[in-house]
Amino acid sequence: MIWIFWAGRGWCAPCLLALGMFLPMIVLRQIDGPEVDRGVGLAVGLAALVIAWLGLRWNRGGKPSEPARHSFWGLPLQFWAIPMLVFAILLGTHVITTAEEPRGPRSAIPTGALK
């Protein structure tokens, strides 16, 4: 059994989201912290605007009772811009981050073994 999660050009939603997330990380690979978050947030925000525009353009003219011609996981393509924009805003306001937690020095000897 083959599972297909998209209809029409619905495959564009995850591809643009992945491009918006990973391209800034690849370009800014030497930088960690807010600069990467800002880059990923801007790229995902731009990808969300592109998805909204493409979804509205490709799905126009359809009747409300008919399923969308271009959808991903049953949602019309343009609706995928909403969670993408939320993700971009959360990254831009530093509510979530891509930065790694700092690693402190760790002893190989457990604390109780020193007594």
Side-chain angles (χ1 to χ4, degrees):
M1 180 195 258
I2 297 175
W3 290 80
I4 298 179
F5 297 109
W6 66 86
R9 296 178 185 149
W11 55 267
C12 290
C15 291
L16 284 175
L17 177 62
L19 184 68
M21 288 175 56
F22 297 122
L23 186 63
M25 287 185 196
I26 293 168
V27 171
L28 301 172
R29 70 178 180 262
Q30 300 298 326
I31 302 171
D32 192 18
E35 292 81 12
V36 173
D37 293 345
R38 207 171 303 126
V40 172
L42 287 173
V44 170
L46 181 63
L49 293 176
V50 169
I51 286 292
W53 179 72
L54 288 174
L56 289 171
R57 184 165 186 237
W58 290 337
N59 285 328
R60 83 174 147 213
K63 296 178 183 174
S65 60
E66 296 176 354
R69 291 180 300 218
H70 306 284
S71 63
F72 184 69
W73 279 351
L75 288 175
L77 192 60
Q78 62 269 24
F79 291 151
W80 283 99
I82 297 168
M84 290 170 70
L85 280 175
V86 169
F87 180 68
I89 290 169
L90 291 175
L91 271 173
T93 57
H94 302 292
V95 172
I96 57 175
T97 182
T98 59
E100 295 180 10
E101 291 194 24
R103 298 180 187 179
R106 294 186 180 191
S107 175
I109 304 171
T111 313
L114 297 175
K115 292 184 182 180

